[in-house]
Amino acid sequence: MSVQTCLAGQKATIELTLNGQRRSGKAEPRLLLCDFLRHELQAFGVHVGCEHGICGACTVLVDGRAVRSCTQYAVQADGRDIVTVEGLAEAGTMNALQRAFAKHHALQCGYCTPGILCSATHFLRETPAPTEREVRDMLSGHICRCTGYASIVAAILEAADAVSRGA
Amino acid sequence: MKSASVVSAPAASRRWVGAAVPRKEDEALLTGRARFIDDLAPLPGLTFAAILRSPHAHARILGIDVRRALALPGVRGVVTGREIAEVIGPIASVVRAPFAYYPIALDRVRYVGEPVAVVVADSRYIAEDACELIDVGYEPLPAVADLASARAPGAPLLHDNTTSNVISRRTFRYGDPESAFAAADRIFEFSYSYPRYASTPMETFGVIAHFERAPDRYTVWSNFQGPFVIQPLMAGALRVPGHRLRLITPPASGGSFGIKQAVLSYIVLLAAVSRKVGLPVKWIEDRAEHLSAASAASDRLGSVAAAFRNDGKLLALKFHNVANMGAYIRPPEPASLYRMHAASNGSYAVENIAVENELVVTNTTPVGLNRGYGGPQFYFALERVMEIAARGLGIDPAELRRRNFIPADRFPYRAPAGAVFDSGDYPRALDELLRIADYEGLQRRREQARRDGRLFGIGFAAGVEPSGSNMAYVSLAQTAEERSRGERKSGANASAVLQVDPSGQVTLRICSTPNGQGHATVAAQIVADALGLDPADIDVVTDIDTLTSAWSIASGNYSNRFAAIVVDAVAKSARQVADKIRLMAAEALDATPEEIDLSDGYARVRGSNRALPFRKVAARAHWDPAGLPPGTAPGIVETAVVSPPLLGSPDVKDRVASATTFGFVVDLAAVEIDRATGILHIEKYASVHDVGTQLNPKIVEGQVHGGFAHGLGAALFEELAYDEQGNFLSGTFADYLCPTAMEVPPLDVGHIETVSPANALGAKGMGDGSSMLTPAAIANAVADALGRDDVTLPLTLQRVWALANGREYERAAPGRRATPRRTRVSGGALNGGGEIVLSAPIAEVWRRLLDPNELSAIVPGCRTLRQEGNDRYVAEVTIGVAGIRGTYGVTIDLRDRREGQSVRFVGKATGALGFGTGSGLVTLQAEPDGRTRLHYEYEAEVGGKVAAVGQRMLGSVVRFLLAQFFDALEHRIHGRRRAWWHSLRAWRTLLRG
Ligand code: FES
Ligand code: FES
């Protein structure tokens, strides 16, 4: 059933690109994007922390933009290009941002981390040489209960530096 | 610590311990490959549960009708509390309470969010739908939502068979406090209330439960974090022998800070549900459930008195602690009140102490472990009174503390209430703090600010950080006499199993269930040093499977126990393996074991070039047992189980060595407050720690920063708030405010190191300290800035503004008796009014307003509506507030009916997600152009989940619904939809209403 004609209780077929691969799955109109990505497409790197759009843990990239997947329906993602934390770097490697997180101990439990990485990816593309305040401003859309944020800020600033130097 | 006959790697040869080794855990987490509880599907045929919860703070359950829920396609079963109680008993507690605790309500609900029924379905979506189809009849009872009202004479009682909500009172006396108070030059007192908050891990609770028969047994996967002393209690509640309740934790857990101890209730509940429905069941808590009904740090009322000599010598302390247990006592409570007890002297050499403890039940969620566990409340009392005393005595607060610190030459120090402080040098730590914070510079800034009329304050807080809890300390809640009748308890077992496999690869298993603290990394560092390997080559398993792990009652992740005790077990197991490798290498290399060094992956004969790869030596134990030195066991599996010998049972004088190590933390906060806006700016926050040996400085730093953020949140933002009727008000992250990157200020961290004698590494547990002291330090700074002592947390913008401007803070202070009030601030009460002009004559408007067919078409979300008699309508309505969509049964009575002029609608709504009462007066007036002016006024009160999540939006939701209603009415009048600008105009009118 196409997304356009799908009614409540029925399932539509969603086709999208997930981390560079064509994927499809079934979704009721009310199925949240986060649930679809996790349980239908097994992208378990997408984490759910609040389901009401505040904590940022569920953030993924939709057509390159950071989006909270708990405030979108799966049907809205039909035909889109989605990148989750699993797709930020090639399998078996970490990109400069991820390496900076490890280096600065910018994660403890790591539950908030995938969302922050996705937001930071979008942010650094638009703001390649951010100030600390800009980084903190962007980060304020995420709750991390473990780190106290200082290490995350340091990691993002370092990654910005590394990316702008072409490292 | 003595080692075996073979010399262990001395401290000087440590290569990995103490280094900022990158974490083993990180790559999986950073690439989305780590697996958390909701990522697991360990069984085929999993079903999904949703929990129907009480919207009432206190009510009798009159009946539960699950028929409509069961009829929903996809629903596999619905289980009520009564049915659960057929297969479980109550969950036992440490104190003998006159009531039982079940993980679900049986016939009375006692807090908002208490489970009432569980639906099991093919998907969580369906299970949640079905919850709404369960009809529960409630008879609301008067509630007591705060400590003062619960303790008041004649207060409504939570539990039958009780005469008071105060369920335990204990007094303690150490030294001679009465004489010391009598002899004192000065006595300073401080009374306070300490708010309820929770550390809200980003991952919520999750449980997968599976019941099997022949024999009856349960397997439960969950993100439980221990203490595993609770496992026998859970098995007891489930009525199976201990080994028939198999608990498994997932490899990763998204934070806990103590809170996930409370998963225990859901382990028992979902296990019983699985048994009842005969299916494996998964339940993942949502955030609203977590905030309202998971667990919290116990809120407190208290007072403290401190007796001083004029020269600043602290002679005696007297504490009165009243702790809120919530509606029941869930294990390990009342431990929060006793965690700090044996260290009631804080960091001071004071010999005379009196303590009076009261445990109180209220119509709130049961409390439990939370970061700092009892410490933040304790230090808020002690460190506030120290600051007040300093001002009263005219002694600098840093200096007053210094004069009373336990002197560095008195360690190990036996505290009056029994704690043994392992090591410390508190004056040196204070010196370091004053240096890194530039105390003198801050004092000059304060003087200047005050000359300018600005509000600038400096506050300190100092304290010990007990780590590695003695499992017996909780029994202080019982008298010595009661204790003597039960089984003796003591100690804190930790285990480590170190294995080298046939290819020489090393795997360590520890039962420490970390939630982000990097245990695997640090344990690998310790093993790497002992075996001369690289930490990257050592795999560490930290999750527990009670069927296969070497667990014991103290297993788990709490009381900073990893660096205090677990590391000792790790070091011991590594020594055992190293000894065996040396023995085998000595034989193969023709040397003595004492001559063998393990380094860089080789066993070498010291001072020669004879060497064998570690792996090769180790493999021999598997491949050639016959060739091993005599008396050597084949294979390499070494288990070490330790319990610090110091941790004995409480003695008859109620003294107990409550913890293994005592770190030290001393903090300075400097704040400036803008009187006009109430904005509080943290100008400086500095914190100096003594954690003994820093096993991994990066991880230590992370813990300090994280603990600070929790302390900051508690000091400034976080409160799990209830209104006077017990409605819960903090049900979303929009209502419960956690600090974000914008609010957490820079933190200056310093360290001193006094090596702990309590374990082989010299380390102390750490991680809680900042969360314990930051609230007190910030409160002290604010008190100093404002020159007033009645500083209550959280210091929200409104509260600071009120304090700075000499106003009363308007949220009801704890202690006021519960009386329903109709104001916007008291929870779910709201009122308003407005008017609208409708394009039909009065008669038509009147007719439509009272016609059930019309009404069912215009009431937003109306599913059915019928008239009963002349003056009553009964309807079913679906409404969403703040994303919480629910169906409500609504009854509307018509009163004061004046035909064609006015009528009052008096309504009541009840649904799974909440309830409400309200009334509205509608008056009609003819306009000169023949149209009708409709004027309305309403007042309403709501409770339940809607009140918890909708606080900030309730008003606009009601206005929105009214707009929809009138829009639809106008639409009916015209028989067509009005143009959008008409709607917009109606909207504008209404929003002003
Ligand atoms: S889970 Fe989506 S913002 Fe919290
Ligand atoms: S690392 Fe645990 S929430 Fe951020």
Side-chain angles (χ1 to χ4, degrees), chain B residues 553-624:
Chain B
I553 58 167
S555 297
N557 189 29
Y558 58 94
S559 79
N560 309 323
R561 92 183 247 287
F562 176 75
I565 306 178
V566 177
V567 294
D568 210 32
V570 173
K572 193 168 174 211
S573 70
R575 274 200 310 273
Q576 290 165 203
V577 170
D579 288 352
K580 189 163 182 174
I581 297 281
R582 285 202 187 92
L583 207 60
M584 293 190 295
E587 167 117 339
L589 294 167
D590 202 12
T592 64
E594 289 76 10
E595 290 172 309
I596 304 291
D597 278 341
L598 302 179
S599 62
D600 303 321
Y602 282 86
R604 307 174 194 279
V605 180
R606 197 172 310 124
S608 84
N609 54 10
R610 280 174 295 150
L612 274 174
F614 174 93
R615 298 196 201 303
K616 220 170 174 153
V617 180
R620 279 189 53 208
H622 290 277
W623 298 99
D624 183 20

Side-chain angles (χ1 to χ4, degrees), chain A residues 30 35 49 108 136 145 149, chain B residues 23 125 129 200 287 739 741:
Chain A
R30 64 169 174 171
D35 288 340
Q108 290 181 26
R136 284 189 177 264
R145 283 301 246 173
Y149 306 105
Chain B
R23 296 203 321 168
Y125 285 66
D129 287 347
T200 64
R287 183 56 62 184

Side-chain angles (χ1 to χ4, degrees), chain A residues 106-113 143-147 152, chain B residues 202 254-255:
Chain A
L107 65 157
Q108 290 181 26
C109 77
Y111 199 79
C112 67
T113 313
I143 300 176
C144 171
R145 283 301 246 173
C146 294
T147 61
I152 303 179
Chain B
M202 291 316 299

